[in-house]
Amino acid sequence: MSKPPQKRLYIKTYGCQMNVYDSERMADVLRPLGYALTDQPDDADLVVLNTCHIREKAADKVYSELGRIRRIKEIRAEAGRSTRIAVAGCVAQAEGEEIMRRAPVVDLVIGPQSYHRLPELIARTSRQLGERLAADFQPEDKFDRLPEERTVHGYSAFLTVQEGCDKFCTFCVVPYTRGAEFSRGPEAIEAEARRLADQGVREVTLLGQNVNAYMKEQDGGGLAALVRRLAKVPDLDRIRYTTSHPRDMDEALISAHAEVEALMPYLHLPVQAGSDRVLKAMNRGHTALHYLRLVEKIRAARPDIALSGDFIVGFPGESEADFEETLEVVREARYASAFSFKYSRRPGTPAAAMPGQVAEEVKAERLQRLQGLLEEQRQAFNRAMAGRTVPVLFERPGRYQGQIVGRSPYLQAVHAEAPERLLGQIVPVRISGAGSNSLAGSVELEAA
Ligand code: SAH
Ligand code: SF4
Ligand code: F3S
């Protein structure tokens, strides 16, 4: 059989880790068609923008990027080279029709549940045939039909186990862009994890918009059982998962944190806000106290856990007193890292139509105060590492000669002067100090 001619694929990824996973899988789907990845859009025969709709700014980026890509397409056309442009991801799902209208340069629009159909859709566009918009909502098809083969680089990989969301927080577009909660079967996940381990991957991060809702409705023990199952895969030494919802943080998962060595002591557990009134208006389904008790329970099981979270300031109706309750929750919960955002009004979500929208300056001022506090906590967490010895999975060469970089169990970046042969290995490192974004340490000699 003759090999198909080499074509170049450029994928730009926005948004969350699930999009990162999806982008890798799109590359896997297109590889048999002769597409090889490039990081230069002007080299690309096919450009895919894998988009995010979560906040207004994220969605706007797509249109400005399309303007840039259009100019590249024109320049390439002058040289007699064609360029196909696809918009994928959550903006595609939410605004597919509008993209087609606003950006005629786009050849095809494809939602997150339809990536297995990319080859077929590309074939159609090349023959100028009808369907250019695929926005199915059947994740079962997606996972069953994506190729088994994955090409991964490096020692840490994402693995999507759950998609979609049934929680309908009133600010959020995800239930509309990703559809209802769906869990992949544990056999398929384990098979994928084994193939990753065979390619040298030592750490997997299990992904889902509500990853701890995994298999909630079915028998099988939920995420805790999946973690225990994957902990047995040879050479897969570290397991992480993200993102969790406080409502789905069950006893079994908390016990897994106490008992499963491979499960890393890091937990991304967004609270969003600290005022019960605001939490109710957000439809979060938990109070501040419920959240704090949960954190206490998790710390009782795994005292050193690094807690991470997401916050929204300036949700409609949020008063100064409400906001101060958010600061109070942060002080009590103590975060090792966090993401915080100004509330962004998303068309079609209930909160967009709520009274009491908060002025931009007020949001900006609250965000600054919140981020100040979160940053203090992050630095305190990092400083407390000095003098400790922790296992580090070394992943890549550092910026300076002779330096390599990896991750601590708590997901901190750690630099050390050490030989590159330690890449892909988990090695004890004595932490000497904390910089602004990473730790420095030295490899314990007897281990190297
Ligand atoms: N499923 C996850 C998070 C998904 S979105 C969860 O429930 O925690 C990631 C984060 O974006 C959210 O946690 C929230 O903090 C933020 N976010 C979502 N919608 C937003 C909006 N309309 N404005 C500002 N931030 C938003
Ligand atoms: Fe969005 Fe809430 Fe679902 Fe998270 S739980 S994805 S914030 S609706
Ligand atoms: Fe964005 Fe979609 Fe992820 S809206 S955050 S890319 S699920």
Side-chain angles (χ1 to χ4, degrees):
M1 220 173 73
S2 69
K3 275 175 101 182
Q6 189 76 315
K7 286 170 277 188
R8 298 273 167 204
L9 167 66
Y10 172 77
I11 307 184
K12 182 153 184 172
T13 308
Y14 303 84
C16 62
Q17 293 103 324
M18 310 202 54
N19 266 8
V20 175
Y21 177 84
D22 283 344
S23 289
E24 283 182 22
R25 301 316 319 264
M26 283 192 261
D28 291 333
V29 171
L30 293 168
R31 198 167 292 112
L33 272 69
Y35 284 99
L37 279 172
T38 169
D39 51 12
Q40 302 297 326
D42 39 3
D43 252 2
D45 304 287
L46 173 61
V47 172
V48 178
L49 303 185
N50 193 7
T51 61
C52 173
H53 201 241
I54 203 80
R55 284 167 291 274
E56 194 177 355
K57 260 198 203 142
D60 285 349
K61 279 188 199 148
V62 179
Y63 291 100
S64 55
E65 184 65 14
L66 279 172
R68 201 168 76 95
I69 301 288
R70 195 192 63 213
R71 285 187 292 281
I72 291 175
K73 181 169 180 158
E74 286 162 2
I75 293 168
R76 283 174 52 93
E78 281 165 24
R81 296 186 295 173
S82 71
T83 313
R84 222 82 58 75
I85 300 175
V87 178
C90 291
V91 181
Q93 189 67 40
E95 300 180 4
E97 309 269 353
E98 193 184 338
I99 294 170
M100 294 297 228
R101 219 176 26 248
R102 266 178 74 178
V105 69
V106 171
D107 295 289
L108 84 107
V109 173
I110 184 162
Q113 255 53 268
S114 306
Y115 297 147
H116 53 285
R117 298 184 53 206
L118 261 175
E120 164 212 347
L121 288 163
I122 288 169
R124 283 178 197 237
T125 60
S126 64
R127 282 178 277 128
Q128 302 293 314
L129 276 173
E131 195 181 12
R132 298 195 300 158
L133 195 150
D136 303 350
F137 250 140
Q138 284 154 334
E140 335 37 347
D141 281 3
K142 168 180 171 178
F143 289 109
D144 288 348
R145 297 207 210 146
L146 284 171
E148 282 192 356
E149 284 313 312
R150 270 186 77 179
T151 304
V152 289
H153 305 283
Y155 307 103
S156 180
F158 291 137
L159 203 178
T160 296
V161 304
Q162 182 274 337
E163 279 222 45
C165 180
D166 299 333
K167 303 281 192 295
F168 290 93
C169 299
T170 53
F171 51 81
C172 184
V173 294
V174 170
Y176 313 98
T177 63
R178 295 272 175 169
E181 281 176 10
F182 166 80
S183 298
R184 294 175 69 189
E187 296 78 18
I189 294 167
E190 185 187 326
E192 189 168 330
R194 284 182 183 275
R195 283 190 298 269
L196 291 172
D198 287 345
Q199 290 183 58
V201 167
R202 308 289 304 274
E203 171 181 282
V204 285
T205 303
L206 310 178
L207 298 181
Q209 265 90 19
N210 279 285
V211 72
N212 59 344
Y214 177 76
M215 288 263 171
K216 263 278 142 76
E217 308 310 326
Q218 295 103 326
D219 294 337
L223 187 64
L226 182 67
V227 164
R228 287 177 190 272
R229 180 173 182 147
L230 295 181
K232 297 197 189 99
V233 171
D235 298 324
L236 202 59
D237 299 306
R238 288 180 161 194
I239 301 171
R240 303 179 183 277
Y241 62 93
T242 199
T243 295
S244 300
H245 195 290
R247 263 152 74 186
D248 294 317
M249 202 68 211
D250 58 19
E251 299 286 344
L253 192 52
I254 296 175
S255 306
H257 273 288
E259 293 159 13
V260 180
E261 203 191 331
L263 186 57
M264 290 293 103
Y266 178 94
L267 177 64
H268 187 70
L269 191 69
V271 67
Q272 311 297 356
S275 145
D276 289 344
R277 207 173 58 79
V278 172
L279 287 168
K280 190 151 192 275
M282 287 177 161
N283 190 33
R284 287 291 292 178
H286 60 80
T287 62
L289 191 63
H290 169 238
Y291 180 84
L292 289 171
R293 290 234 169 99
L294 192 56
V295 168
E296 224 171 84
K297 231 193 248 174
I298 295 160
R299 285 220 168 96
R302 184 76 213 223
D304 64 336
I305 203 148
L307 182 66
S308 167
D310 292 345
F311 299 87
I312 295 178
V313 300
F315 184 82
E318 185 189 74
S319 66
E320 172 64 23
D322 290 323
F323 172 66
E324 277 168 22
E325 290 188 61
T326 299
L327 296 179
E328 204 40 50
V329 165
V330 172
R331 282 186 204 105
E332 284 197 36
R334 290 176 286 116
Y335 290 89
S337 73
F339 302 91
S340 47
F341 314 97
K342 290 186 277 188
Y343 168 70
S344 170
R345 216 167 165 171
R346 308 307 293 127
T349 60
M354 285 181 187
Q357 299 287 328
V358 175
E360 199 49 39
E361 314 82 79
V362 176
K363 287 186 205 170
E365 189 265 342
R366 287 182 190 162
L367 186 65
Q368 205 180 12
R369 275 153 72 200
L370 174 61
Q371 290 187 336
L373 176 59
L374 290 167
E375 180 57 18
E376 268 172 37
Q377 293 192 341
R378 191 179 72 88
Q379 289 185 13
F381 185 86
N382 287 345
R383 274 197 311 270
M385 299 295 297
R388 282 183 60 186
T389 296
V390 290
V392 171
L393 168 56
F394 282 110
E395 294 175 4
R396 57 188 167 82
R399 205 176 325 151
Y400 304 107
Q401 182 89 35
Q403 187 191 53
I404 55 176
V405 189
R407 295 268 172 193
S408 77
Y410 312 101
L411 209 60
Q412 298 142 306
V414 181
H415 295 257
E417 305 267 326
E420 287 199 9
R421 68 184 162 81
L422 295 185
L423 293 179
Q425 294 193 40
I426 297 171
V427 185
V429 173
R430 191 179 156 81
I431 304 301
S432 52
S436 56
N437 286 311
S438 63
L439 306 177
S442 48
V443 169
E444 298 280 80
L445 283 178
E446 59 273 28

Short mmCIF file of all heavy atoms in Angstrom, two decimals, residues 14-16 18-19 51-54 90 173-174 177-178 209, ligand 3:
data_model
loop_
_atom_site.label_atom_id
_atom_site.label_comp_id
_atom_site.label_asym_id
_atom_site.label_seq_id
_atom_site.Cartn_x
_atom_site.Cartn_y
_atom_site.Cartn_z
N TYR A 14 -7.53 26.09 23.10
CA TYR A 14 -7.93 27.02 24.16
C TYR A 14 -8.66 26.23 25.24
O TYR A 14 -9.13 25.13 25.01
CB TYR A 14 -8.91 28.07 23.61
CG TYR A 14 -8.38 28.86 22.45
CD1 TYR A 14 -8.46 28.36 21.14
CD2 TYR A 14 -7.81 30.11 22.65
CE1 TYR A 14 -7.99 29.10 20.07
CE2 TYR A 14 -7.33 30.85 21.58
CZ TYR A 14 -7.43 30.34 20.29
OH TYR A 14 -6.96 31.06 19.24
N GLY A 15 -8.82 26.86 26.43
CA GLY A 15 -9.73 26.30 27.43
C GLY A 15 -9.10 25.25 28.32
O GLY A 15 -7.92 25.32 28.64
N CYS A 16 -9.90 24.24 28.67
CA CYS A 16 -9.51 23.34 29.75
C CYS A 16 -8.71 22.13 29.24
O CYS A 16 -8.51 21.94 28.04
CB CYS A 16 -10.75 22.87 30.49
SG CYS A 16 -11.88 21.92 29.45
N MET A 18 -9.60 19.18 29.00
CA MET A 18 -10.36 18.27 28.15
C MET A 18 -10.15 18.63 26.69
O MET A 18 -10.14 17.77 25.82
CB MET A 18 -11.83 18.30 28.50
CG MET A 18 -11.99 18.12 29.99
SD MET A 18 -13.57 17.52 30.51
CE MET A 18 -13.76 16.07 29.56
N ASN A 19 -9.98 19.92 26.44
CA ASN A 19 -9.66 20.34 25.08
C ASN A 19 -8.25 19.90 24.69
O ASN A 19 -8.00 19.57 23.53
CB ASN A 19 -9.80 21.86 24.95
CG ASN A 19 -11.17 22.27 24.44
OD1 ASN A 19 -12.07 21.46 24.33
ND2 ASN A 19 -11.33 23.55 24.12
N THR A 51 -11.71 25.43 20.52
CA THR A 51 -12.10 26.66 21.22
C THR A 51 -12.78 26.43 22.56
O THR A 51 -13.25 25.34 22.86
CB THR A 51 -13.08 27.44 20.33
OG1 THR A 51 -14.24 26.61 20.14
CG2 THR A 51 -12.46 27.77 19.00
N CYS A 52 -12.86 27.52 23.34
CA CYS A 52 -13.47 27.51 24.66
C CYS A 52 -14.51 28.62 24.75
O CYS A 52 -14.29 29.73 24.28
CB CYS A 52 -12.38 27.73 25.71
SG CYS A 52 -13.01 27.96 27.38
N HIS A 53 -15.61 28.32 25.38
CA HIS A 53 -16.75 29.25 25.44
C HIS A 53 -17.01 29.73 26.86
O HIS A 53 -18.01 30.42 27.11
CB HIS A 53 -17.99 28.50 24.90
CG HIS A 53 -19.08 29.39 24.42
ND1 HIS A 53 -20.33 29.39 24.98
CD2 HIS A 53 -19.13 30.29 23.43
CE1 HIS A 53 -21.11 30.26 24.35
NE2 HIS A 53 -20.40 30.83 23.41
N ILE A 54 -16.14 29.38 27.79
CA ILE A 54 -16.48 29.53 29.21
C ILE A 54 -16.69 30.99 29.62
O ILE A 54 -17.60 31.30 30.37
CB ILE A 54 -15.43 28.83 30.12
CG1 ILE A 54 -16.03 28.50 31.48
CG2 ILE A 54 -14.15 29.62 30.29
CD1 ILE A 54 -16.86 27.29 31.51
N CYS A 90 -15.89 24.11 22.17
CA CYS A 90 -17.14 24.57 22.78
C CYS A 90 -17.76 25.77 22.09
O CYS A 90 -18.98 25.91 22.10
CB CYS A 90 -16.92 24.82 24.27
SG CYS A 90 -16.61 23.28 25.17
N VAL A 173 -21.68 27.61 30.88
CA VAL A 173 -22.12 27.13 29.56
C VAL A 173 -21.87 25.63 29.34
O VAL A 173 -22.39 25.05 28.38
CB VAL A 173 -21.38 27.87 28.40
CG1 VAL A 173 -21.76 29.34 28.37
CG2 VAL A 173 -19.86 27.69 28.51
N VAL A 174 -21.07 25.02 30.22
CA VAL A 174 -20.63 23.65 29.95
C VAL A 174 -21.78 22.65 29.71
O VAL A 174 -21.70 21.86 28.76
CB VAL A 174 -19.64 23.15 31.04
CG1 VAL A 174 -19.38 21.66 30.91
CG2 VAL A 174 -18.33 23.93 30.96
N THR A 177 -22.58 23.14 26.12
CA THR A 177 -21.57 22.86 25.09
C THR A 177 -21.11 21.40 25.10
O THR A 177 -20.68 20.88 24.08
CB THR A 177 -20.32 23.75 25.23
OG1 THR A 177 -19.69 23.48 26.48
CG2 THR A 177 -20.67 25.22 25.15
N ARG A 178 -21.18 20.77 26.27
CA ARG A 178 -20.66 19.40 26.35
C ARG A 178 -21.74 18.36 26.58
O ARG A 178 -21.45 17.17 26.62
CB ARG A 178 -19.62 19.28 27.47
CG ARG A 178 -18.38 20.09 27.25
CD ARG A 178 -17.34 19.29 26.45
NE ARG A 178 -16.18 20.11 26.14
CZ ARG A 178 -15.04 19.66 25.65
NH1 ARG A 178 -14.87 18.37 25.41
NH2 ARG A 178 -14.06 20.47 25.37
N GLN A 209 -15.46 17.00 33.22
CA GLN A 209 -16.00 18.27 33.74
C GLN A 209 -16.45 18.07 35.17
O GLN A 209 -16.43 18.99 35.97
CB GLN A 209 -17.20 18.73 32.90
CG GLN A 209 -16.83 19.71 31.83
CD GLN A 209 -16.49 18.98 30.56
OE1 GLN A 209 -16.84 17.83 30.37
NE2 GLN A 209 -15.80 19.66 29.68
FE1 F3S B 3 -13.98 25.85 27.85
FE2 F3S B 3 -15.45 23.91 26.93
FE3 F3S B 3 -13.49 23.38 28.62
S1 F3S B 3 -16.16 25.90 27.46
S2 F3S B 3 -13.41 25.22 29.86
S3 F3S B 3 -13.26 24.19 26.60
S4 F3S B 3 -15.46 22.40 28.52
#
